[in-house]
Amino acid sequence: MTSTVRLLAICCAVSFSANWQYAYSSTYLNTPVLQFKNYLNESFNGSLNDESYVHVWDLVQNIWFIGFFLGIWLSPVLNDRLGRKSAHCLTSGRQWLKFAEGLLIANSTNFLAAIVQFVGVWQELPVLLIIGRAVASVATAVAFQAVILYLQESPPTALRGSASYCSEVIFAAMCIVGASMRTISQNSGMMLGTDLLLGQKLPWLLAVNIIPCAISILIVILVPETPKFLLIRKKDRKSAEAAIRFHHGSDADVASVVEELLHEADEDSHAAHSFRDFLVIAKEPHLRKIVILSSSAMQITVSFWGAIYNSTQFMMDLDCSDVVATWSSTIMAAIYFIGTLIGSQLIDRIGRRTLLLPCSLASIICWTAFTISFYLQKMADGWKYLGIVSLMCFAIAYGTGIGAIAWFISSELAPQRYRSLIQSICYTINTIILVAMTFALLPMYTSSIGASTFLILYCAPSLICLGYLTWQLPETKGRPTHEILHELKISSGSLARIATEDIIHEVKF
C-alpha cells in the first residue's frame, strides 16, 4: 500500500507540472466574458463592433489549438531525442527521465508565456495575450504528451489505469482553481469590496498563473527515468532494474517485471527513427487500427472544450442570470473533478471499455438534452434548468469515463517503438478536428442554426465513433502490451498477412 501511494503521489506531482498551464489556460476565459469584452474594446479604443469582437475573441480562444498542433510535432523531437539525457544526477546517481529535458523546456517556456499573458492584460495589449497563449499551447502540447508516456511506462501493469488517471484528476483540479479564480474575479467588487481589486481583476487573474508555472519547473527536475524506456530503448538493464525499484517499490519482483517488459521489445526498438516509421504505420493493418481506435476515442472529447470554454455564455443564452451562469460553470468544473476521482477508482477494476462506452453514450444524450432545452425554454422558462442539469451530467460522465481513457488509450494499444509517433498522429487528427469545430461553433451557434449546432458538431460525429469503438476496441485492463498487440494483429489481419508472406518467401527460396 505504501509503495502504491508513493507511486501515485509521484504521478500526481508530474501531472501537476504538465497540466497546470493546460487546465488554467483552458478555463480562465470562460466566466469573465463581459470583462474580457470590455478589455478588448478598451484595447482597441472602442472600435470593435459585435462582428469584429466575435472574430477577435475566436482568435484569443482558438489560438491555443493552433499552437497545440505545432507542439504535437515538436514532442517527438524534444521527448525522443533532446529529452533523452545520458547524464546522471550527481546527488542520486540515477538517469533523468527520458523526457525530462523536453518537459523542463516546456515548463520553462510556460513560465515565460504566463508572464507575457499577464503583461498583455495589465498593459491592455491583446497581441501579447494572444502570443502568450500561442507559446504556452506549444509548450503544453510537449509537456502533455510527455506526461502521458510517463504515466503509462512507470507503474506496474495492474496500476497503469489508476496512474494514468492522475493526469486527468490533476487537470480537473486545476480547472476548479481556474473556475474559482475567475468566479472571484467576476465578483471581486462584491466579495473583496475594494475598488483597487475591482479595477485590476483581469491582471490578477493572469498573475495567478505565474507561480504554479515556476513550481512546475522545480518538480520536473526531481523526476527519475522510466524503466520501460531504459530497458527497451536504451538496452540498459541495470538502470532499468533500479528504476523499477524506485517506481514499484523496494519489494518489487524485478525479474518478472523485466521479463514482461522484454516481451514488448522488438527489433531496432532502441532506434529513434520516429518519422521514418510513418510508412510502417500506414502499411501495417494493426497499427492503422490503433490510430483509428485512438482517434475515435479522442473525437468524443471534442465537446468538452465547447463546454469548458463557453458554458457560461450558453447558460446566459438560456436566460440564466449572470450569477447562476457563473456559478454553474464553477460547479460543473467541480463535478468534473469528482468524476475523475470516481473513474480513477473504477478504471483498474471494471476496465476501459466498461467505462468509456457507457459514458460516451451518456455524453451524447446530455448534449442532445442540452440542445432540446434551448427550444423548450422559449415555451416555458423553467426548461432552462434542463440545460443546466444536462451540462452537469455531461461533466461527471466525461470525468468518469471519457477524458482520461481517450488520451491514454493510444499508449496502451501501441508498441514501444511506434508509441510516441502514433500518439502524435492521433493528437494531430484530434487537434485539426477540434480547431475546425471550435472555430465553427460560435458562428454556427449565432446563426439561424442555433442550438442545433451541438447536434451537428458534437452528437453526430461522437455517435459514429462510439459505434466503431463498440465494435472494435479491445479491453486493455491488466494486460501487457504484447498481448493486446497480438489480439489487434489477429482482428486486423496482420498475422494472416505475415504468415502468407512467409510462405511465399519459403516457396521462392
Side-chain angles (χ1 to χ4, degrees), residues 185-457:
S185 176
Q186 179 82 348
N187 300 284
S188 57
M190 176 183 66
M191 298 181 65
L192 303 180
T194 66
D195 291 336
L196 177 61
L197 286 179
L198 178 63
Q200 297 293 321
K201 53 197 168 191
L202 286 185
W204 279 114
L205 187 64
L206 275 295
V208 168
N209 191 23
I210 297 173
I211 296 176
C213 287
I215 294 173
S216 296
I217 298 173
L218 299 178
I219 290 174
V220 76
I221 291 175
L222 305 175
V223 179
E225 178 62 275
T226 67
K228 183 174 286 189
F229 167 73
L230 287 170
L231 186 64
I232 297 178
R233 300 297 294 270
K234 287 295 186 181
K235 305 298 183 184
D236 186 348
R237 183 169 183 141
K238 182 178 179 180
S239 296
E241 290 176 350
I244 290 169
R245 293 188 184 94
F246 177 87
H247 290 100
H248 298 196
S250 57
D251 57 344
D253 186 350
V254 176
S256 65
V257 176
V258 169
E259 183 180 355
E260 179 181 308
L261 292 178
L262 286 174
H263 277 295
E264 190 177 335
D266 53 27
E267 186 178 358
D268 287 333
S269 63
H270 63 285
H273 294 156
S274 296
F275 293 103
R276 298 180 186 178
D277 291 334
F278 265 117
L279 293 178
V280 180
I281 294 173
K283 179 182 177 182
E284 294 295 336
H286 69 286
L287 296 179
R288 292 199 307 269
K289 187 172 185 177
I290 292 171
V291 172
I292 297 172
L293 284 168
S294 303
S295 298
S296 297
M298 289 183 185
Q299 174 60 42
I300 300 173
T301 69
V302 170
S303 61
F304 172 75
W305 299 103
I308 206 168
Y309 272 167
N310 299 297
S311 60
T312 301
Q313 185 62 54
F314 292 156
M315 291 185 203
M316 291 170 65
D317 292 342
L318 273 173
D319 205 26
C320 295
S321 66
D322 290 354
V323 173
V324 171
T326 299
W327 282 102
S328 292
S329 292
T330 303
I331 293 171
M332 184 183 73
I335 291 175
Y336 163 47
F337 172 69
I338 293 171
T340 63
L341 294 178
I342 295 172
S344 68
Q345 297 302 307
L346 296 177
I347 187 67
D348 285 321
R349 298 181 183 181
I350 66 176
R352 282 61 162 160
R353 278 180 60 94
T354 311
L355 272 180
L356 177 62
L357 301 182
C359 288
S360 297
L361 179 60
S363 73
I364 295 171
I365 294 172
C366 288
W367 278 106
T368 302
F370 187 64
T371 303
I372 293 172
S373 69
F374 276 81
Y375 297 99
L376 294 179
Q377 188 271 334
K378 295 177 182 178
M379 296 184 289
D381 189 62
W383 284 107
K384 64 187 178 186
Y385 297 107
L386 172 63
I388 296 175
V389 172
S390 296
L391 281 187
M392 302 301 170
C393 292
F394 166 76
I396 197 164
Y398 184 89
T400 301
I402 300 175
I405 299 173
W407 290 110
F408 73 66
I409 197 66
S410 64
S411 298
E412 289 201 335
L413 296 174
Q416 177 75 16
R417 172 171 179 168
Y418 305 104
R419 183 168 294 150
S420 182
L421 183 56
I422 286 177
Q423 185 188 63
S424 292
I425 292 171
C426 294
Y427 286 12
T428 297
I429 294 170
N430 176 258
T431 302
I432 291 172
I433 294 172
L434 186 58
V435 168
M437 289 190 173
T438 305
F439 269 109
L441 177 61
L442 289 181
M444 289 178 64
Y445 173 72
T446 55
S447 71
S448 58
I449 299 174
S452 297
T453 299
F454 306 134
L455 300 179
I456 298 170
L457 296 183

Side-chain angles (χ1 to χ4, degrees), residues 56-296:
V56 173
W57 185 240
D58 264 351
L59 181 61
V60 171
Q61 284 189 319
N62 298 322
I63 194 67
W64 180 269
F65 300 116
I66 297 173
F68 198 88
F69 175 82
L70 297 176
I72 286 170
W73 291 105
L74 277 179
S75 180
V77 176
L78 293 177
N79 293 333
D80 290 351
R81 300 185 184 188
L82 297 179
R84 289 190 169 114
K85 290 187 177 181
S86 59
H88 290 260
C89 178
L90 295 176
T91 56
S92 66
R94 291 192 302 269
Q95 280 189 307
W96 293 98
L97 188 64
K98 71 178 182 182
F99 43 81
E101 189 167 325
L103 196 53
L104 185 59
I105 292 171
N107 286 348
S108 300
T109 304
N110 271 330
F111 174 70
L112 297 176
I115 295 174
V116 171
Q117 292 178 74
F118 165 70
V119 173
V121 174
W122 178 36
Q123 295 296 319
E124 295 187 352
L125 296 171
V127 66
L128 289 184
L129 175 62
I130 293 170
I131 291 173
R133 282 180 61 79
V135 172
S137 64
V138 173
T140 298
V142 175
F144 183 70
Q145 290 187 86
V147 78
I148 293 298
L149 291 174
Y150 172 80
L151 297 176
Q152 280 288 303
E153 294 181 2
S154 297
T157 301
L159 293 175
R160 197 171 58 200
S162 297
S164 295
Y165 253 82
C166 289
S167 179
E168 195 74 12
V169 170
I170 296 299
F171 179 84
M174 296 307 98
C175 284
I176 293 177
V177 174
S180 299
M181 286 303 301
R182 67 183 189 240
T183 300
I184 292 171
S185 176
Q186 179 82 348
N187 300 284
S188 57
M190 176 183 66
M191 298 181 65
L192 303 180
T194 66
D195 291 336
L196 177 61
L197 286 179
L198 178 63
Q200 297 293 321
K201 53 197 168 191
L202 286 185
W204 279 114
L205 187 64
L206 275 295
V208 168
N209 191 23
I210 297 173
I211 296 176
C213 287
I215 294 173
S216 296
I217 298 173
L218 299 178
I219 290 174
V220 76
I221 291 175
L222 305 175
V223 179
E225 178 62 275
T226 67
K228 183 174 286 189
F229 167 73
L230 287 170
L231 186 64
I232 297 178
R233 300 297 294 270
K234 287 295 186 181
K235 305 298 183 184
D236 186 348
R237 183 169 183 141
K238 182 178 179 180
S239 296
E241 290 176 350
I244 290 169
R245 293 188 184 94
F246 177 87
H247 290 100
H248 298 196
S250 57
D251 57 344
D253 186 350
V254 176
S256 65
V257 176
V258 169
E259 183 180 355
E260 179 181 308
L261 292 178
L262 286 174
H263 277 295
E264 190 177 335
D266 53 27
E267 186 178 358
D268 287 333
S269 63
H270 63 285
H273 294 156
S274 296
F275 293 103
R276 298 180 186 178
D277 291 334
F278 265 117
L279 293 178
V280 180
I281 294 173
K283 179 182 177 182
E284 294 295 336
H286 69 286
L287 296 179
R288 292 199 307 269
K289 187 172 185 177
I290 292 171
V291 172
I292 297 172
L293 284 168
S294 303
S295 298
S296 297

Side-chain angles (χ1 to χ4, degrees), residues 25-63:
S25 293
S26 298
T27 55
Y28 74 73
L29 295 176
N30 189 352
T31 301
V33 175
L34 297 178
Q35 293 167 280
F36 270 107
K37 186 172 184 177
N38 292 335
Y39 156 73
L40 291 174
N41 280 327
E42 290 172 5
S43 301
F44 285 92
N45 298 317
S47 61
L48 287 180
N49 56 33
D50 288 343
E51 183 178 355
S52 299
Y53 167 75
V54 169
H55 291 305
V56 173
W57 185 240
D58 264 351
L59 181 61
V60 171
Q61 284 189 319
N62 298 322
I63 194 67

